[in-house]
Each structure stands twice: as C-alpha cells, then as structure tokens.
Amino acid sequence: MTTTIDLVSYEDALASYDPVMGLEVHVELGTKTKMFCGCSTELGAEPNSQTCPTCLGMPGSLPVVNATGVESAIRIGLALNCEIAEWCRFARKNYFYPDMPKNFQTSQYDEPIAFNGYLDVQLEDGETFRVEIERAHMEEDTGKSMHVGGATGRIHGASHSLLDYNRAGIPLIEIVTKPIEGAGERAPEVAKAYVRELREVIKALGVSEARMEMGQMRCDVNLSLRPHGREKFGTRSETKNVNSLRSVERAARFEIQRHAAVLNSGGTIIQETRHFHEDTGSTTSGRVKEEAEDYRYFPEPDLVPVAPTREWVEEIRSGLPELPLVRRNRLREEWGISGTEMQAILNAGALETIVATIDAGADAGSARKWWMGELARSANESGKTLDELAITPEQVARVSKLVSSGDLNDKLARQVIEGVLAGEGTPDEVVDKRGLKVVSDEGALTTAVEEAIAGNPGIADKIRGGKVAAAGALVGAVMKATRGQADAARVKELILEKLGVSEG
Ligand SMILES: [Zn+2]
C-alpha cells in the first residue's frame, strides 16, 4: 500500500526541526569460509551448493567460530577507535524467517566485540564531522529468497518462492552509530560521507571489498525529527538496506521531508521499517518495528565466549594500515592542494588512479591535471568511470614524462591521450603514428620562422618598429605551419632574434 503525502520542502522542514540520525551498516566479511562452519563463501555458486548441517540449522550440528572473522571484527573496531571487549558472547536473536533455517540469527546483543568509538568524515567543503560509534558486533547473514512468477520479483503476485542458503552464515559485522545530532541541514550529506568513509576504511583494512552494489555493504538509515530547542528525540523510522551512497543521502533527505509533513499536519510518526525506491527517491512503509525484547535474545549456549587477549589486540593494532583519512591528509599536504580539491578528486573517483600515475613516475601536478581534466571529461562524455577508460596510469605517466622532457607540449599531449583512448596504441606508438613531436630541430624551426616573416612583411615591419606584441601573429603562423608541434616560447625568441628586436 502506498499512501502519497504532500512533502514539506526541505528548507521548510529544517526551519522547524532538527534531524537526528542513526546509521546501521552491515558489512559482509571477505573470509573464505562462513562464520560458524567451513562452508565456502564464494559468490556465484549453484544455489544451496555451499551448505552443511550447521548453516542449515540441522539438529545436533554444532557451530565453531571463524577466527579470521573475529580478527576482522577487531580490526574494524580498532580502525573505528573502539574499545575491544575482553570477553564477549554470541547471542541468539530469535525470529522466524524462511531464509533463516535455524529460526534464530547468531548475533551479539549486549556484549559486542567493539564499542565506544568514532569515525571522522569529511564533507564536501573539506570540513570534518565526527560520527560517534556505539558498537560493532559480529553476526551472520541469512539466505536469500527469490519470488518467482510475478512481474516484479517481489512476493506480491508471485506464484512461488525459492530459497538459496549459500549466503546463510556468511560473516557480517554490524556497525551502529550513536545518535548523530547537530548536523542540521547537512544531515543527509553527513550520512553519505559517513558511509563512504566507512567503506574506504573497510577496503583499506582488506576485510571486505565492501561493494555496495553487490550487497557486501548496506545501510539502514534511522531518522527522526525534533522541534528546535527540544531535547527529547522524536519517533524514528528505519529505512532498510539502502545500497548506494547516493541513495543513503536521498533516503535521509526524503525522510526529513516526510516526517516534517506528518508532524506539521498533526500526525504521529509510526516506528516502522521502510523501503527506499531508487526510481522515485521515496520510501514506503515496510513493517512495524519490533522492539529488542521481541527477539528474546539469550546467550548462545553452543559457542564459547570470545576473549581476545590484550597481546593479540595490540598485535592487530600494530598491523593496521594507514587509514584513509590520515592518508588523504598526508597526500593533500604532499601535493599542496586544498580540502575541497581533494574532495573533488574523491568525488571523481580519481584518488587511486592519480596515486598509481605518480607511482609510475609522473609528478603530482600533471597526474592530477590529466585525470581531473582531459580524462575526467572523456569519462564523463562516455559514461564511464576513470578506471574503465582505455588508458592506464602508466600510460598517463609516460605522456607526462614526454611533456616534462620537452618532447611534447600540452596540446600534443592531449592528442596523444586522445589516440590512446581511441585504441591507437601506447603513447609512444601514437606519437610515432601521428607524427606528434615538438619540433625542436632548430634548423626546421628557423626555416618556418623565416617563411612566416617573408609571408607577412607588414607584421614584420611593425615588430621591427618596436611593436613586440605583434609577434603573436607570426608565432601563430609558425605553429600552424608546424601543426602545433613547435615550442611557442622558442619560436617567439627566434622571431625577435631574426628581426633584431629584444623583448624588453
Ligand atoms: Zn555450512
């Protein structure tokens, strides 16, 4: 059932209310085996081919905890500045769902492995916003239901449903923020920036590829409004399984407008889960939200408590890689760019390609210039991402070297890049095939200059008479004659020399 409501404009909503958000992100770990059994986690296998009595919840089967899963959870906790529990247990979260064969999910309840942390995230203008982390806990994924026979793939209208338990038992880490207050109109932007930063952290840690479009990372957006000046939180809605950065931002924005509309009309917000729809950017009602007590959590009797020694935790901490924000700040300083410039690089998805181009020998300035200029435009026009373009960081580095050695000027370099993108070969092959090299042969240049002077006697006279600015026309003539392959500054020098005029 969809009920349409007249949304309040975003500005009007913010004029009356403060948004408070809570973000719950599920990350599927990239472990080789499941969280509590030895079944493979590889994607794309035949349905139900990666199951065993444990992950199918058969009587008598016993779970064993995946040590790599625990280590990954600790790595995530440490990267999020959390405290790591000295002793914690798994719990059973009891509910029935067809794709959950045990009728409970093995999760953690009041004893999470990691708690009390924070993640600093960067907003579009380069400003930093601190998001506090309540907890990060270990759990397992459910299987998958497929509803067949209907038009939409949804259960409504389907003739039957199929179940695939390959995903049941894949390790998940759920990361829950504390209420995010004080972001005001930037709340949706903060939500997006948080999920993006978290994704970068997860990738840097190597614990998951965190590909949102593959469902390896998904975000539940909890949102409520409260009138300005009021302490008490309003009733929240929970928009489930939002699976792109853009959707996280849009879902938060839509819910702010919807809540304001309901509250302004004197209605009450129902605590419920909601679904986000990519096509319309709107959410619709799911089910009325259960309270924690409805799940009858109790400690899992079949698993031993997890008690990571302090030595192990410190060993893991010392093995953490440089974290994304720290790395970006370091690169920003090394490259001498501003926070907004770095943000633009991130938005363009260009950071890693630029780093790779510098690693391949280009200087930072030209690596940035090509990827953020010519190549970003080309990607934009062809609807591709930068790493889908038919040019590698090594090739861009080669072009940049040819420019710094004086073999190419910028104009020619653009043509070389164009040739590489068009599949004409490597930069050097394009240079050869198209005959693109700066004419640095003085003899050839001198001839071209003499011809230009002979062909434009009026202009030459003006220059002789002291109008040095008129030399531009002759430079243009030489550049045209050499198809842009001359060094313009050198051409100008030669012209003035020939005409016996000095620049000053
Ligand atoms: Zn299994």
Side-chain angles (χ1 to χ4, degrees), residues 34 37 39 51-52 55:
K34 293 186 180 181
C37 63
C39 290
T51 56
C52 72
C55 57

Side-chain angles (χ1 to χ4, degrees), residues 17 55 74 81-82 96 156 175 210 224 226 318 324 328 352 360 373 389 405 426 435-436 494:
Y17 304 101
C55 57
I74 295 174
N81 305 290
C82 287
F96 170 80
H156 183 77
I175 301 149
S224 65
R226 58 180 174 190
S318 65
R328 288 204 306 275
E352 299 314 320
L389 289 177
S405 64
T426 65
L436 301 172
L494 281 173

Side-chain angles (χ1 to χ4, degrees), residues 32-357:
K32 289 199 167 58
T33 56
K34 293 186 180 181
M35 193 65 192
F36 304 110
C37 63
C39 290
S40 168
T41 56
E42 200 153 326
L43 288 173
E46 279 287 295
N48 297 308
S49 63
Q50 295 171 166
T51 56
C52 72
T54 299
C55 57
L56 288 176
M58 304 254 179
S61 62
L62 283 174
V64 176
V65 73
N66 181 331
T68 311
V70 175
E71 183 179 336
S72 299
I74 295 174
R75 280 169 77 80
I76 292 172
L78 291 173
L80 298 177
N81 305 290
C82 287
E83 295 171 49
I84 304 300
E86 297 196 17
W87 189 90
C88 64
R89 285 177 296 187
F90 285 97
R92 291 187 179 184
K93 182 181 183 181
N94 296 282
Y95 62 104
F96 170 80
Y97 215 72
D99 56 20
M100 196 181 64
K102 297 188 294 190
N103 277 348
F104 61 83
Q105 180 188 27
T106 307
S107 181
Q108 291 195 291
Y109 179 45
D110 49 356
E111 298 167 354
I113 181 108
F115 50 93
N116 267 346
Y118 63 84
L119 181 64
D120 286 333
V121 307
Q122 245 162 5
L123 305 181
E124 290 297 326
D125 60 3
E127 213 179 284
T128 303
F129 189 98
R130 176 161 294 183
V131 175
E132 294 193 87
I133 308 287
E134 168 90 33
R135 56 192 276 148
H137 70 249
M138 301 178 281
E139 58 182 38
E140 60 179 338
D141 214 340
T142 57
K144 258 185 201 163
S145 305
M146 276 152 286
H147 307 296
V148 188
T152 59
R154 290 176 179 265
I155 196 162
H156 183 77
S159 59
H160 60 287
S161 296
L162 298 171
L163 290 161
D164 176 8
Y165 292 116
N166 283 355
R167 200 178 67 178
I170 288 195
L172 289 181
I173 303 296
E174 180 175 342
I175 301 149
V176 182
T177 67
K178 292 183 182 171
I180 302 169
E181 305 173 60
E185 59 177 1
R186 303 187 78 172
E189 191 195 338
V190 167
K192 178 184 170 189
Y194 167 75
V195 177
R196 171 155 73 188
E197 194 64 36
L198 186 56
R199 187 185 63 183
E200 294 307 308
V201 167
I202 299 291
K203 277 159 57 180
L205 292 172
V207 294
S208 168
E209 288 178 36
R211 290 168 63 171
M212 296 187 80
E213 73 283 6
M214 308 266 292
Q216 291 169 335
M217 182 167 165
R218 35 200 203 257
C219 179
D220 300 342
V221 180
N222 289 277
L223 189 130
S224 65
L225 295 183
R226 58 180 174 190
H228 291 315
R230 187 182 302 172
E231 285 279 308
K232 195 170 172 283
F233 293 162
T235 305
R236 68 191 157 91
S237 59
E238 182 178 0
T239 306
K240 300 289 282 181
N241 293 328
V242 187
N243 66 355
S244 77
L245 295 176
R246 182 162 172 263
S247 297
V248 168
E249 186 172 26
R250 290 170 83 204
R253 200 178 164 94
F254 179 87
E255 281 297 280
I256 287 172
Q257 292 178 263
R258 186 185 70 84
H259 279 228
V262 172
L263 296 171
N264 282 358
S265 69
T268 43
I269 297 291
I270 304 162
Q271 187 174 331
E272 62 183 352
T273 62
R274 297 185 67 87
H275 303 295
F276 179 71
H277 306 281
E278 301 269 350
D279 48 351
T280 56
S282 62
T283 68
T284 53
S285 182
R287 61 187 152 86
V288 173
K289 180 71 177 164
E290 298 83 356
E291 294 293 343
E293 49 266 31
D294 296 332
Y295 289 114
R296 301 293 187 270
Y297 280 98
F298 64 85
E300 166 60 61
D302 290 342
L303 285 166
V304 292
V306 176
T309 64
R310 296 301 93 180
E311 291 74 26
W312 190 38
V313 171
E314 288 316 309
E315 194 188 311
I316 295 172
R317 191 196 303 277
S318 65
L320 290 183
E322 182 181 34
L323 293 174
L325 182 63
V326 176
R327 175 171 178 255
R328 288 204 306 275
N329 285 339
R330 173 175 61 77
L331 292 174
R332 204 159 58 72
E333 265 182 34
E334 283 175 14
W335 300 349
I337 61 172
S338 69
T340 33
E341 283 173 302
M342 180 53 96
Q343 205 58 41
I345 289 174
L346 286 185
N347 289 342
L351 185 63
E352 299 314 320
T353 31
I354 290 174
V355 169
T357 306

